């Protein structure tokens, strides 16, 4: 079986199939779009998996929901779940805890935009505000966990989260079996790792290319075969708030080292903005900068230099959550 | 047969079925989206037919393509087609003439935005510039017709155009057979008339509600049972350039009088802008003001007062062509 190659990892295609069964009735099977004009720009045939149209506006709901539902199945006594995130994972966990019918707590810096706080509350979770420093989030989350005996569901480095995100690729390959490669953006690496395990298990020849903001240093890690990041979490200077975390996780990095292509596409803000404008204007899809990064990678000179045998390219539009009053152009 | 009631019109469900066969392989079968948040705002279940994701960015391609392909089938000697439009119909006719492999000419005022001219040229038609007055368009179009022996394909008041637009409703009702009503915007009335004939033929109890900018006076015409507009074409003062034509056509008005509900939803710019923002933010769909008008109608107090037996409401998102550098908020 093709999956045997990848069984060294903590997750397998089987976990992803189980995730699919667990979450599919609660989420959208997102459509795949094509665009003649995008194909012309890329010089290949592009297929866009529209996770911006997913529940909560991003793919994050897949992983959060799988982790929460699986945890609840296996631990009837769960008191609730907690995470820290002012972004897409916060909304996703809020939604997931509502679906699972257990209390959800999301720790958010007090200074986060009101619109993000409202979105998190809107899906039903308790919003807990904390101080502005990165360490404040971790501390507040840990305190809550202890005080209320909650389970922490991190945004990426968790096997059930990764398995949930992998369902992007199982759906994608069912819809477009001829994909030769998939472009996926990377923050903590949960989506990319899930996509790698699913795609390479189903189709060992497929290539998964990773997309990041400039300055992350992921390619160096992949080539060195190890995590080169040290110290506490840091954020990159990028408009793409969905992928601004500099360090990938421990589980995720190992999967990416083993399964992803070594060439990483690192995009700057201008590339992302141009790609977002293309999506808004030509595809009529609202996407956030992290999704713009992936479109930009598909349009890049570097991508055009790849082997011409890569004809059908999957592009994951990871989310569409952004402030439409403050578009970056 | 249900269609018998409507056979007094120049088009029947059969024409629309034939249009579907003729055009379906060249266009998208657009997806239908739902939104929990939209349902909450409307107090009913809404289904959004995403014609903003249609080829050329609007539904107009359905009618233009049907008219051009049917015309070519029946008249082997056609020299080409011509229309005047700086908007969605211009792009649609350009696309349609390319698909049909016959010359297309689109008359556009010289002062029209470059982006619209580029879009029309991009699909392959000859762009012919004219002066700024409304009469200039008609004259230039008539001159071209005569000089090159072309067929004029108007944007609305043409049976094959109306039949093409009707395919929106046949697809919509296949996807969501339980629709109790459809909301559709009206400019010349081609889309609304096509939707009326298709929907009422398939499901005589369904209600079709029309949506316009303020000042059109359509409800007065429907209640009087006749066209009350006189004089040359006029444009309404609205941000919705897709529905700014004040007068409906002759064929279209008669169909609307016979088949549409008498209550017309007339929306102002602020309503449309708020609805556009909802679509961008919550549904991640780029829609133009004319589509915003229909969403606004679904959210309006007036709509909430309609009979509660109308549970499942179809909302046609007619297009997504707008200048994203100049969003109206």
């Amino acid at each position: 079986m093709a999956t045997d190659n990848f069984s060294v990892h903590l997750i397998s295609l089987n976990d992803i199939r189980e995730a699919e069964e667990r979450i599919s009735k609660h989420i959208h099977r997102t459509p795949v779009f094509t665009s003649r004009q995008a194909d012309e720009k890329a010089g290949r045939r592009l297929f866009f998996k529209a996770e911006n149209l997913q529940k909560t506006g991003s793919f994050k709901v897949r992983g959060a929901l799988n982790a929460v539902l699986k945890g609840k199945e296996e631990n009837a006594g769960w008191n609730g779940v907690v995470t820290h995130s002012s972004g897409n994972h916060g909304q996703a966990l809020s939604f997931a805890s509502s679906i699972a019918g257990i209390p959800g707590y999301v720790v958010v810096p007090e200074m986060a935009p009101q619109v993000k706080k409202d979105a998190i509350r809107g899906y039903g979770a308790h919003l807990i505000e904390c101080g502005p420093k990165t360490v404040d989030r971790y501390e507040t989350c840990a305190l809550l966990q202890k005080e209320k005996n909650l389970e922490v569901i991190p945004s990426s480095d968790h096997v059930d989260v990764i398995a949930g995100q992998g369902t992007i690729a199982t759906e994608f390959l069912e819809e477009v079996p001829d994909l030769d490669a998939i472009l996926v953006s990377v923050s903590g690496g949960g989506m990319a790792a899930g996509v790698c395990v699913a795609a390479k298990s189903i189709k060992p020849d497929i290539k998964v290319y990773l997309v990041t903001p400039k300055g992350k240093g992921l390619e160096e890690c992949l080539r060195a075969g190890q995590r080169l990041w040290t110290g506490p979490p840091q954020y990159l200077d990028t408009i793409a708030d969905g992928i601004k975390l500099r360090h990938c996780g421990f589980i995720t990095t190992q999967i990416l080292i083993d399964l992803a292509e070594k060439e990483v596409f690192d995009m700057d803000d201008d590339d992302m903005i141009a790609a977002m404008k293309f999506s808004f204007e030509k595809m009529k899809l609202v996407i956030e900068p992290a999704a713009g990064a992936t479109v930009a990678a598909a349009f890049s000179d570097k991508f055009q230099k790849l082997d011409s045998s890569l004809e059908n390219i999957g592009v994951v539009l990871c989310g569409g959550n952004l402030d439409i009053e403050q578009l970056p152009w």
Side-chain angles (χ1 to χ4, degrees), chain A:
Chain A
M1 255 183 69
T3 50
D4 287 353
N5 300 333
F6 311 114
S7 58
V8 291
H9 296 121
L10 296 168
I11 70 160
S12 69
L13 180 59
N14 198 42
D15 297 312
I16 296 168
R17 296 283 187 211
E18 284 176 13
E20 204 164 37
E21 248 173 74
R22 199 173 281 124
I23 68 178
S24 62
K25 66 173 166 291
H26 303 292
I27 64 166
H28 295 306
R29 189 180 172 97
T30 51
V32 173
F33 294 112
T34 58
S35 157
R36 191 192 59 154
Q37 290 177 84
D39 292 355
E40 279 167 12
K41 277 177 84 81
R44 308 177 198 258
R45 190 131 172 74
L46 303 184
F47 298 85
F48 298 92
K49 176 79 169 157
E51 287 295 300
N52 59 325
L53 304 179
Q54 186 53 270
K55 294 261 182 193
T56 75
S58 91
F59 74 94
K60 286 280 188 187
V61 72
R62 296 176 181 265
L65 193 55
N66 187 51
V68 173
L69 290 177
K70 181 159 182 261
K72 197 189 161 198
E73 279 164 29
E74 295 175 356
N75 309 278
W78 266 22
N79 285 330
V81 289
V82 62
T83 200
H84 60 88
S85 160
S86 59
N88 291 337
H89 179 60
Q91 292 188 48
L93 193 77
S94 180
F95 177 86
S97 60
S98 292
I99 293 287
I102 60 174
Y105 296 83
V106 181
V107 175
V108 173
E110 203 178 358
M111 55 186 263
Q114 194 58 40
V115 57
K116 295 199 171 191
K117 294 185 191 172
D118 292 345
I120 290 168
R121 273 204 202 91
Y123 290 111
H126 302 279
L127 188 97
I128 311 293
E129 296 186 337
C130 69
K133 295 197 297 290
T134 305
V135 67
D136 295 334
R137 305 183 183 196
Y138 287 83
E139 281 182 6
T140 310
C141 195
L143 275 170
L144 268 168
Q145 177 194 13
K146 203 165 167 188
E147 191 184 301
K148 297 184 187 291
N149 191 22
L150 305 172
E151 298 298 315
V152 177
I153 310 288
S155 64
S156 318
D157 213 26
H158 183 292
V159 288
D160 300 331
V161 171
I162 297 169
Q165 320 304 25
T167 61
I168 297 169
T170 51
E171 286 182 17
F172 210 166
L173 279 165
E174 265 171 42
E175 188 103 2
V176 193
D178 290 342
L179 288 182
D180 300 309
I182 296 178
L183 277 162
V184 59
S185 56
V186 183
S187 189
M191 171 169 60
V195 165
C196 275
V197 172
K200 302 286 283 189
S201 300
I202 293 169
K203 193 169 180 177
D205 290 344
I206 202 170
K207 293 180 189 301
V208 179
Y209 289 101
L210 307 180
V211 182
T212 72
K214 283 212 188 302
K216 188 180 180 82
L218 178 59
E219 182 159 334
E220 289 79 349
C221 298
L222 298 185
R223 294 200 185 277
Q226 59 177 302
R227 279 181 98 250
L228 301 174
W229 303 291
T230 54
Q234 294 162 29
Y235 296 105
L236 297 165
D237 179 20
T238 170
I239 56 160
D241 56 344
I243 49 174
K244 70 173 188 284
L245 198 60
R246 183 157 179 243
H247 303 187
C248 291
F250 292 87
I251 306 170
T252 56
T253 305
Q254 191 54 52
I255 293 173
L256 299 182
I257 287 170
D258 291 349
L259 300 180
E261 298 304 305
K262 302 296 180 222
E263 296 126 296
V264 172
F265 291 79
D266 55 343
M267 297 291 134
D268 63 28
D269 286 357
D270 289 345
D271 300 327
M272 297 182 205
I273 292 169
M276 287 171 72
K277 286 174 77 170
F278 180 91
S279 172
F280 277 62
E281 278 183 346
K282 307 297 185 188
M283 301 179 63
K284 317 300 177 191
L285 293 175
V286 172
I287 61 171
E288 59 183 82
T294 322
V295 178
F299 291 167
S300 67
D301 291 342
K302 183 172 173 179
F303 198 77
Q304 293 193 350
K305 287 182 188 132
L306 293 182
D307 198 297
S308 64
S309 67
L310 301 174
E311 290 176 3
N312 298 314
I313 313 298
V315 178
V316 181
L317 301 177
C318 57
N321 290 329
L322 79 172
D323 185 352
I324 62 153
E325 310 260 6
Q326 309 269 342
L327 292 169
W329 53 78

PDB file of all heavy atoms in Angstrom, chain A residues 282-295:
ATOM      1  N   LYS A 282     -10.640  38.942 -11.101  1.00  0.00           N
ATOM      2  CA  LYS A 282     -10.863  37.983 -12.180  1.00  0.00           C
ATOM      3  C   LYS A 282     -11.643  36.769 -11.702  1.00  0.00           C
ATOM      4  O   LYS A 282     -12.397  36.174 -12.467  1.00  0.00           O
ATOM      5  CB  LYS A 282      -9.523  37.500 -12.757  1.00  0.00           C
ATOM      6  CG  LYS A 282      -8.585  38.607 -13.195  1.00  0.00           C
ATOM      7  CD  LYS A 282      -9.153  39.431 -14.331  1.00  0.00           C
ATOM      8  CE  LYS A 282      -8.127  40.447 -14.802  1.00  0.00           C
ATOM      9  NZ  LYS A 282      -8.724  41.378 -15.781  1.00  0.00           N
ATOM     10  N   MET A 283     -11.437  36.368 -10.460  1.00  0.00           N
ATOM     11  CA  MET A 283     -12.102  35.159  -9.982  1.00  0.00           C
ATOM     12  C   MET A 283     -13.271  35.492  -9.066  1.00  0.00           C
ATOM     13  O   MET A 283     -14.031  34.601  -8.696  1.00  0.00           O
ATOM     14  CB  MET A 283     -11.090  34.262  -9.270  1.00  0.00           C
ATOM     15  CG  MET A 283      -9.943  33.865 -10.203  1.00  0.00           C
ATOM     16  SD  MET A 283      -8.708  32.823  -9.384  1.00  0.00           S
ATOM     17  CE  MET A 283      -9.707  31.384  -9.001  1.00  0.00           C
ATOM     18  N   LYS A 284     -13.392  36.763  -8.693  1.00  0.00           N
ATOM     19  CA  LYS A 284     -14.503  37.243  -7.854  1.00  0.00           C
ATOM     20  C   LYS A 284     -14.503  36.580  -6.481  1.00  0.00           C
ATOM     21  O   LYS A 284     -15.556  36.423  -5.858  1.00  0.00           O
ATOM     22  CB  LYS A 284     -15.869  37.013  -8.528  1.00  0.00           C
ATOM     23  CG  LYS A 284     -15.927  37.351  -9.997  1.00  0.00           C
ATOM     24  CD  LYS A 284     -15.602  38.785 -10.300  1.00  0.00           C
ATOM     25  CE  LYS A 284     -15.608  39.036 -11.808  1.00  0.00           C
ATOM     26  NZ  LYS A 284     -15.030  40.356 -12.130  1.00  0.00           N
ATOM     27  N   LEU A 285     -13.332  36.180  -6.047  1.00  0.00           N
ATOM     28  CA  LEU A 285     -13.205  35.537  -4.747  1.00  0.00           C
ATOM     29  C   LEU A 285     -12.433  36.440  -3.792  1.00  0.00           C
ATOM     30  O   LEU A 285     -11.346  36.918  -4.123  1.00  0.00           O
ATOM     31  CB  LEU A 285     -12.467  34.202  -4.867  1.00  0.00           C
ATOM     32  CG  LEU A 285     -13.200  33.100  -5.638  1.00  0.00           C
ATOM     33  CD1 LEU A 285     -12.301  31.870  -5.783  1.00  0.00           C
ATOM     34  CD2 LEU A 285     -14.508  32.716  -4.948  1.00  0.00           C
ATOM     35  N   VAL A 286     -12.996  36.657  -2.610  1.00  0.00           N
ATOM     36  CA  VAL A 286     -12.313  37.385  -1.554  1.00  0.00           C
ATOM     37  C   VAL A 286     -11.361  36.410  -0.866  1.00  0.00           C
ATOM     38  O   VAL A 286     -11.802  35.402  -0.311  1.00  0.00           O
ATOM     39  CB  VAL A 286     -13.331  37.955  -0.536  1.00  0.00           C
ATOM     40  CG1 VAL A 286     -12.605  38.550   0.667  1.00  0.00           C
ATOM     41  CG2 VAL A 286     -14.219  39.007  -1.210  1.00  0.00           C
ATOM     42  N   ILE A 287     -10.072  36.700  -0.960  1.00  0.00           N
ATOM     43  CA  ILE A 287      -9.082  35.847  -0.286  1.00  0.00           C
ATOM     44  C   ILE A 287      -8.207  36.716   0.599  1.00  0.00           C
ATOM     45  O   ILE A 287      -8.029  37.902   0.360  1.00  0.00           O
ATOM     46  CB  ILE A 287      -8.201  35.055  -1.279  1.00  0.00           C
ATOM     47  CG1 ILE A 287      -7.396  35.985  -2.197  1.00  0.00           C
ATOM     48  CG2 ILE A 287      -9.043  34.090  -2.084  1.00  0.00           C
ATOM     49  CD1 ILE A 287      -6.357  35.264  -3.039  1.00  0.00           C
ATOM     50  N   GLU A 288      -7.670  36.109   1.652  1.00  0.00           N
ATOM     51  CA  GLU A 288      -6.780  36.843   2.538  1.00  0.00           C
ATOM     52  C   GLU A 288      -5.345  36.727   2.019  1.00  0.00           C
ATOM     53  O   GLU A 288      -5.058  35.902   1.138  1.00  0.00           O
ATOM     54  CB  GLU A 288      -6.923  36.310   3.966  1.00  0.00           C
ATOM     55  CG  GLU A 288      -6.616  34.843   4.135  1.00  0.00           C
ATOM     56  CD  GLU A 288      -6.848  34.382   5.588  1.00  0.00           C
ATOM     57  OE1 GLU A 288      -8.006  34.105   5.940  1.00  0.00           O
ATOM     58  OE2 GLU A 288      -5.865  34.310   6.336  1.00  0.00           O
ATOM     59  N   PRO A 289      -4.437  37.554   2.560  1.00  0.00           N
ATOM     60  CA  PRO A 289      -3.069  37.553   2.025  1.00  0.00           C
ATOM     61  C   PRO A 289      -2.392  36.180   2.039  1.00  0.00           C
ATOM     62  O   PRO A 289      -1.627  35.854   1.121  1.00  0.00           O
ATOM     63  CB  PRO A 289      -2.341  38.542   2.946  1.00  0.00           C
ATOM     64  CG  PRO A 289      -3.413  39.501   3.385  1.00  0.00           C
ATOM     65  CD  PRO A 289      -4.651  38.655   3.532  1.00  0.00           C
ATOM     66  N   ALA A 290      -2.678  35.361   3.039  1.00  0.00           N
ATOM     67  CA  ALA A 290      -2.040  34.038   3.092  1.00  0.00           C
ATOM     68  C   ALA A 290      -2.441  33.183   1.895  1.00  0.00           C
ATOM     69  O   ALA A 290      -1.647  32.365   1.404  1.00  0.00           O
ATOM     70  CB  ALA A 290      -2.412  33.320   4.392  1.00  0.00           C
ATOM     71  N   ALA A 291      -3.643  33.371   1.407  1.00  0.00           N
ATOM     72  CA  ALA A 291      -4.070  32.673   0.190  1.00  0.00           C
ATOM     73  C   ALA A 291      -3.463  33.356  -1.033  1.00  0.00           C
ATOM     74  O   ALA A 291      -3.061  32.696  -2.006  1.00  0.00           O
ATOM     75  CB  ALA A 291      -5.593  32.664   0.093  1.00  0.00           C
ATOM     76  N   GLY A 292      -3.374  34.682  -0.958  1.00  0.00           N
ATOM     77  CA  GLY A 292      -2.714  35.429  -2.038  1.00  0.00           C
ATOM     78  C   GLY A 292      -1.287  34.944  -2.248  1.00  0.00           C
ATOM     79  O   GLY A 292      -0.809  34.864  -3.386  1.00  0.00           O
ATOM     80  N   ALA A 293      -0.621  34.591  -1.165  1.00  0.00           N
ATOM     81  CA  ALA A 293       0.760  34.111  -1.273  1.00  0.00           C
ATOM     82  C   ALA A 293       0.842  32.877  -2.177  1.00  0.00           C
ATOM     83  O   ALA A 293       1.755  32.745  -3.001  1.00  0.00           O
ATOM     84  CB  ALA A 293       1.303  33.769   0.114  1.00  0.00           C
ATOM     85  N   THR A 294      -0.126  31.993  -2.037  1.00  0.00           N
ATOM     86  CA  THR A 294      -0.106  30.745  -2.806  1.00  0.00           C
ATOM     87  C   THR A 294      -0.395  31.014  -4.286  1.00  0.00           C
ATOM     88  O   THR A 294       0.230  30.426  -5.170  1.00  0.00           O
ATOM     89  CB  THR A 294      -1.133  29.753  -2.218  1.00  0.00           C
ATOM     90  OG1 THR A 294      -1.108  29.874  -0.802  1.00  0.00           O
ATOM     91  CG2 THR A 294      -0.799  28.357  -2.601  1.00  0.00           C
ATOM     92  N   VAL A 295      -1.334  31.933  -4.534  1.00  0.00           N
ATOM     93  CA  VAL A 295      -1.615  32.326  -5.917  1.00  0.00           C
ATOM     94  C   VAL A 295      -0.372  32.991  -6.510  1.00  0.00           C
ATOM     95  O   VAL A 295       0.025  32.715  -7.658  1.00  0.00           O
ATOM     96  CB  VAL A 295      -2.824  33.279  -5.978  1.00  0.00           C
ATOM     97  CG1 VAL A 295      -3.076  33.723  -7.410  1.00  0.00           C
ATOM     98  CG2 VAL A 295      -4.063  32.611  -5.385  1.00  0.00           C
TER      99      VAL A 295
END
